[in-house]
Amino acid sequence: MSERLPPECVALAAELRSLRERTGLSLAALADRTTASKSSWHRYLGGTKLPPRDVVVELCALAGEPPGRAVALWELAETARSGRDTPPRPFPRAVPREDSGEHPAGPGTPGGGEDSATGPRSGARADDPGAVDRAGSASPATGGDAGPPAPGPSGVRETDRGSPARPRRPRWALVVPGLIAYTALVTTLALLPPGGGPDADAGPTPAGCVGPGCTGKDPESQGCTLPAHEPSTVASHRFPTGARMEIRWSRGCEAAWARIWLGSIGDRVEIRSPEEGTQEATIRDRWDAEGYIYTPMVGGAAGNVEACLRTPDSPDPRCFAP
């Protein structure tokens, strides 16, 4: 049976998927540019495993977003996971107080009461010497002397016990501090603007290349997928196999690339330009097939490119253009 995820982990996974979408990276590309493997990213994005904090910060850097919001979500998810995985600590066993009337039955005390011939009468406190003296003076059968108190089950006399046991702390006193800390963290997160943080006012990252200088280069590593450089989809196509392809073009980089998802292992995607030639990428494993992959870029205007799909069962490419 699948494990039910805490809502904090679900929220973190959704944020990670959103950040990953902004990067335009496949799982393999994420693994190449971060300290996590492709299979680990698959679990992180699915919410089945909590990523390390440093990996969350790395993804934010790739997406060009300040890490404040994602790290706050990670802290909530980490707290929820830790609280669920740690078994609750048992409460200490309560020790009966001398004045509670809860002492076990002892010699000469049928029924466990304190009205025996050797103990104080009902209503008298064992730690009140005056009450013991008064009880003794009112008992002619004992000659006015009640004698020493009877030993308890542990062999310690009532007058040797010292002060009464401290009452245990109420359960709400253990829960309230945690609720206060959790509420403070949620409030801080709510006050953060989307993408907010100390670096929110920093200028956009400049493009790493422009035009023909982008040919053969990775669009993510050159910053062409960042919103500041206005990436957009200029054409898309759905093939009979179910595969979907898009031609992406960045105004700031003046370059295009193709990406595919819902493809099959062995599918090859190409982006072509009369001036800059052809760039391609291949779906090599199920991680690529379950995510999406993209080609290196070709420089030039969006209207001068076309994208093609080659499948293992067909030698002829199927192409489309803006």
Side-chain angles (χ1 to χ4, degrees), residues 19 22-23 59-66 205 226-227:
L19 290 169
R22 294 178 209 173
T23 67
L59 180 60
C60 291
L62 290 174
E65 292 289 340
T205 303
L226 298 179

Side-chain angles (χ1 to χ4, degrees), residues 80-221:
R81 280 277 188 178
S82 300
R84 185 196 60 184
D85 293 341
T86 303
R89 297 180 60 186
F91 286 101
R93 186 175 180 180
V95 178
R97 296 178 58 181
E98 279 76 6
D99 59 344
S100 64
E102 296 177 357
H103 300 293
T109 56
E114 294 191 39
D115 289 335
S116 65
T118 59
R121 292 184 299 174
S122 176
R125 292 174 54 91
D127 56 292
D128 184 355
V132 176
D133 293 340
R134 290 191 298 272
S137 61
S139 303
T142 60
D145 185 6
S154 61
V156 179
R157 299 180 184 277
E158 293 294 331
T159 55
D160 295 335
R161 290 177 182 251
S163 60
R166 180 189 300 177
R168 70 180 183 182
R169 183 181 299 180
R171 293 191 180 185
W172 60 263
L174 303 176
V175 175
V176 168
L179 291 177
I180 293 175
Y182 182 84
T183 303
L185 185 56
V186 172
T187 302
T188 302
L189 176 61
L191 295 177
L192 282 175
D199 301 327
D201 296 331
T205 303
C209 63
V210 178
C214 292
T215 298
K217 295 182 178 179
D218 183 280
E220 189 281 329
S221 65

Side-chain angles (χ1 to χ4, degrees), residues 219-230:
E220 189 281 329
S221 65
Q222 299 301 309
C224 301
T225 60
L226 298 179
H229 302 301
E230 303 180 62

Side-chain angles (χ1 to χ4, degrees), residues 209-297:
C209 63
V210 178
C214 292
T215 298
K217 295 182 178 179
D218 183 280
E220 189 281 329
S221 65
Q222 299 301 309
C224 301
T225 60
L226 298 179
H229 302 301
E230 303 180 62
S232 62
T233 300
V234 296
S236 63
H237 187 75
R238 181 170 185 170
F239 295 93
T241 60
R244 297 284 302 274
M245 280 183 60
E246 290 180 343
I247 297 176
R248 300 278 288 173
W249 186 75
S250 168
R251 184 180 301 276
C253 295
E254 297 180 14
W257 63 96
R259 66 182 183 183
I260 183 173
W261 67 98
L262 300 179
S264 302
I265 297 175
D267 287 355
R268 187 174 67 187
V269 57
E270 300 175 349
I271 185 78
R272 300 174 176 178
S273 167
E275 295 84 7
E276 301 298 324
T278 301
Q279 300 292 327
E280 64 181 40
T282 302
I283 297 178
R284 302 186 181 280
D285 52 38
R286 72 182 185 94
W287 305 111
D288 288 345
E290 291 177 0
Y292 63 88
I293 64 170
Y294 58 89
T295 68
M297 296 183 287

